[in-house]
Amino acid sequence: MPVPVPQQRSVPAAETSHGDLTLLVIEDDPAGTAITVPELSAAAGTRVRIRTARNLTEAARLLTDDVDCILLDLALPLTGGGAGPGTPTTDAGTSGTGTGTGTDDSGSPPEPVSERAGELAALTHVLGIAPQHAVLALTAQDDTELAAEAVRVGAQDYLFRGELDARVLSRAIRYAVERKRADIAQHQLTESRLRAQENARLERGLLPTPLLDGSDLSFAARYRPGRSRALLGGDFYDVVRTPDGTVHAMIGDVCGHGPDEAALGVELRIAWRALTLAGLCGDELLSTLQQVLEHERQSEEIFATLCTVDIAPDGRRAGLCLAGHPAPLLARHGMPARLLPYQDGGPALGLLPRARWPRRQVELGGAWSLMMYTDGLIEGRVGTGGSERLGQDGMVAMVNSRLEQGLAGEELLEAAVAEVRELNGGELTDDVAVLLLGRDPERIRRWGGSAPRSHPASSVAGRPLGVQRPPL
């Protein structure tokens, strides 16, 4: 029995509006005249343009991006009208909508198929070729089970032939279109959340876990990427203890703070750890790191600054190498913090082909705290209107004021980063990485010569700090 559908009517481009909808009717005999376009417009307040197709092959030709909704007669046969190559069949054991129990190309058993899958083969085909379009299923009034199954398969709504009038059809079209849009938006949101979760897990996995087992030094760190909603930036750091008891610490900064710079920073950090554990140090290590940078960077304009420190097993002295990086801050027990010498530093990695980086010997003393940082901490704005930067002198004064308050370790770093953000008047635009190493002989003596592995020695103020992944 022919299905009464709106007659096709040519709508001039000048008459179309933003709210116009296009309906593609797929039915074996679309010559019915029960509903016309003017009646749909009067009922819905929206102009509906009609396209008709007698089979799936013709429907595929008419299915363009401007089609908003498809009205499909579930009684439409797959054969006879020429569904074209790739049309699903209902033979058992085949792919598509058949009821066979074979396996797909991946070797996994197929999902359960409805007993009425054969009657929904045309719908399955349409959903496959039109995944972004709303679909209305049309069936006989006495077959509510098939209509409900069509919605479960993927149709947005169903209609019965006997109730196909202008009011019902216009409502169904608008409802189907809006529901499809909501489904697509929800699907995209879910995919976005999954990607964000995967990226977060990946970035967390790339953050360093300091290797300080057996050391009596304390450790604390703070890391804040400049990119919005990111966990990893162009700044990087690491701390490892080699078998001879020497503790090696490093902090660096790749110019820029996008995802490419973050990836390069991870590569440099991992390379530094591998080279350090292999026994390289000082100028030899930095020269090799520069080769890694030159091979891995996206552009010859990319460079990286670096500061490395190797602390002797007795904890009283250290070697310092600077590659275009700010000098660390040293606070000895009972004395104000001061910057370590930086006059003998070398250039940033990636600037000069055959550069050299001299290693300077530094006396640390018995009880001390050493703070290493990236320039994101000192380049924040201060003062009225934010015309000046904090700078190294401002940072030294800020840290000394916090030390006078008795802060140390995690509390000291947290307070310092919070004050820099406050002085800046909001979030810092550059990446910020800060790490703090310390030694307290009094605590070491209390533990019988060495601090327990699970509770490293505290910093100057004597507060214990755990070796752990830095919080974000």
Side-chain angles (χ1 to χ4, degrees), residues 1 62 93 101 119 143 152 162 175 221 278 299 302 348 391 406 414 428 440:
M1 181 178 179
L62 298 175
T101 57
E119 299 177 76
D143 204 346
R152 283 193 290 270
Y175 171 77
S299 166
I302 300 296
E414 188 67 31
L428 300 167
D440 183 2

Side-chain angles (χ1 to χ4, degrees), residues 329-454:
L329 189 66
L330 176 64
R332 293 192 177 96
H333 184 59
M335 300 176 61
R338 63 178 180 84
L339 293 172
L340 291 179
Y342 53 85
Q343 291 83 0
D344 295 334
L349 303 181
L351 292 183
L352 300 177
R354 291 177 292 276
R356 287 292 176 263
W357 296 271
R359 178 178 176 273
R360 172 187 285 268
Q361 189 77 10
V362 177
E363 294 297 326
L364 301 176
W368 49 266
S369 288
L370 183 68
M371 190 176 85
M372 305 168 68
Y373 53 93
T374 58
D375 58 8
L377 185 70
I378 60 177
E379 290 187 351
R381 300 288 180 175
V382 297
T384 306
S387 58
E388 300 178 2
R389 295 190 181 275
L390 176 64
Q392 287 182 295
D393 293 339
M395 180 199 64
V396 172
M398 177 187 66
V399 170
N400 279 325
S401 66
R402 297 297 180 177
L403 290 174
E404 292 174 0
Q405 298 172 9
L407 299 183
E410 300 274 359
E411 294 180 353
L412 174 62
L413 295 189
E414 188 67 31
V417 173
E419 184 172 350
V420 170
R421 290 174 59 197
E422 182 180 351
L423 293 172
N424 190 61
E427 289 293 340
L428 300 167
T429 57
D430 197 5
D431 305 327
V432 176
V434 192
L435 64 87
L436 187 67
L437 291 168
R439 183 175 185 272
D440 183 2
E442 289 298 326
R443 182 172 175 81
I444 296 173
R445 281 193 290 270
R446 287 197 298 269
W447 286 101
S450 63
R453 294 176 64 179
S454 58

Side-chain angles (χ1 to χ4, degrees), residues 271-293:
W272 176 87
R273 174 175 286 200
L275 294 171
T276 300
L277 294 176
L280 274 68
C281 185
D283 183 77
E284 185 181 10
L285 186 149
L286 292 178
S287 297
T288 308
L289 272 184
Q290 174 158 277
Q291 294 180 36
V292 174
L293 171 67

Side-chain angles (χ1 to χ4, degrees), residues 197-258:
Q197 292 173 1
E198 291 175 356
N199 291 339
R201 287 195 295 270
L202 175 62
E203 292 187 20
R204 287 192 186 98
L206 294 175
L207 289 172
T209 300
L211 301 179
L212 282 175
D213 287 349
S215 172
D216 55 23
L217 301 183
S218 65
F219 172 83
R222 279 293 180 272
Y223 189 98
R224 295 184 182 275
R227 290 186 296 143
S228 175
R229 298 184 296 276
L231 298 178
L232 202 63
D235 291 1
F236 55 97
Y237 69 91
D238 205 352
V239 180
V240 298
R241 180 177 182 268
T242 49
D244 64 354
T246 302
V247 172
H248 302 261
M250 171 272 292
I251 193 166
D253 182 5
V254 178
C255 63
H257 48 269

